[in-house]
Amino acid sequence: MENVVFFIIACVLLIVLPGPDTAIVTKNTIVNGQKGGFQTMVGSCAGLTVHTIAAVAGLSAIIVKSAVAFTVLKYVGAAYLCYLGIKTLMSMRAKKAVSEELTDIPEIEAKGNSYFKQGLITNITNPKVAVFFLTFLPQFLSKGAEPFWPFLTMGIIYIVLTFIWFALYVFLLNKIRNFMKKPATQSVIETLTGAVLIGFGIKLAFEKQM
């Protein structure tokens, strides 16, 4: 493995860029505090673990090269993101209808949702992550080196950095949660989050195979 420091810097820059994972973590942290945020974060990291194993095993290459596999995974991921976005927008409307019971809604939602599953499925069904692993990691592979251990090491580094970033993000977001949970503020945030998730879903649906 070459240029470890540059690899870490590049990973950090890529991780902090907002994406579907960030949108899901934001929504679930606001709805259910640190518990919801951390469960979603762990789910996302579990998804990255699957992609790391797939990259090491060579399965990601099959997904990237197979038009059928890529397309199926792409549309499943896009549909799921749109589903979460629409669900978020519908939840906002429901809260407006029963605003006097707003404080009870997060607990009701928490019983019916698996935040871990949301983070996991969002990450696993995003073929762009597979493409990222197969195009980004090889750039730091030493010439002539066997890819197994370097890919595994780089995947673990990326997962750890993702975990650290989202842990800090959830902690800070939870600190201002009281402000974020004001009806007017939450209405704006959930509307934006829902729209962003749907936007990511549509963008993913039109993503072209490399």
Side-chain angles (χ1 to χ4, degrees):
M1 181 178 173
E2 297 181 342
N3 301 317
V4 179
V5 175
F6 180 71
F7 172 74
I8 293 175
I9 294 174
C11 284
V12 171
L13 294 175
L14 289 168
I15 290 168
V16 300
L17 287 174
D21 290 343
T22 302
I24 295 294
V25 169
T26 300
K27 180 182 80 71
N28 290 344
T29 301
I30 294 172
V31 170
N32 206 43
Q34 284 187 332
K35 179 181 178 181
F38 280 127
Q39 286 180 356
T40 308
M41 173 190 72
V42 172
S44 294
C45 289
L48 288 175
T49 302
V50 173
H51 280 290
T52 298
I53 295 173
V56 171
L59 296 179
S60 290
I62 297 175
I63 293 174
V64 173
K65 292 180 180 179
S66 169
V68 175
F70 183 91
T71 301
V72 169
L73 194 59
K74 177 180 71 172
Y75 285 128
V76 169
Y80 187 69
L81 286 174
C82 289
Y83 162 75
L84 290 178
I86 293 171
K87 190 174 181 180
T88 300
L89 294 175
M90 292 178 67
S91 173
M92 179 200 68
R93 293 183 63 182
K95 288 178 182 181
K96 283 184 176 180
V98 289
S99 57
E100 66 277 5
E101 298 177 4
L102 183 63
T103 55
D104 295 328
I105 290 178
E107 286 71 27
I108 294 173
E109 289 187 345
K111 293 178 182 178
N113 290 324
S114 171
Y115 298 118
F116 173 86
K117 186 185 297 183
Q118 288 184 15
L120 177 66
I121 295 176
T122 297
N123 194 281
I124 286 181
T125 57
N126 188 352
K128 292 180 68 176
V129 180
V131 173
F132 160 77
F133 269 77
L134 262 296
T135 57
F136 183 69
L137 300 188
Q139 298 180 45
F140 299 91
L141 190 65
S142 301
K143 292 183 179 179
E146 288 293 327
F148 182 87
W149 290 112
F151 273 17
L152 184 61
T153 301
M154 286 186 278
I156 291 173
I157 291 174
Y158 189 83
I159 293 168
V160 171
L161 291 173
T162 300
F163 185 91
I164 293 173
W165 163 250
F166 275 125
L168 291 171
Y169 181 72
V170 169
F171 176 77
L172 293 174
L173 194 60
N174 188 64
K175 286 294 184 181
I176 58 174
R177 188 179 172 223
N178 289 333
F179 167 74
M180 304 287 273
K181 284 198 68 178
K182 289 181 179 180
T185 305
Q186 192 170 27
S187 178
V188 172
I189 291 173
E190 292 195 353
T191 299
L192 290 175
T193 302
V196 167
L197 288 172
I198 294 172
F200 277 127
I202 295 173
K203 184 176 183 295
L204 180 59
F206 287 96
E207 192 72 26
K208 294 182 179 180
Q209 185 180 11
M210 293 185 66

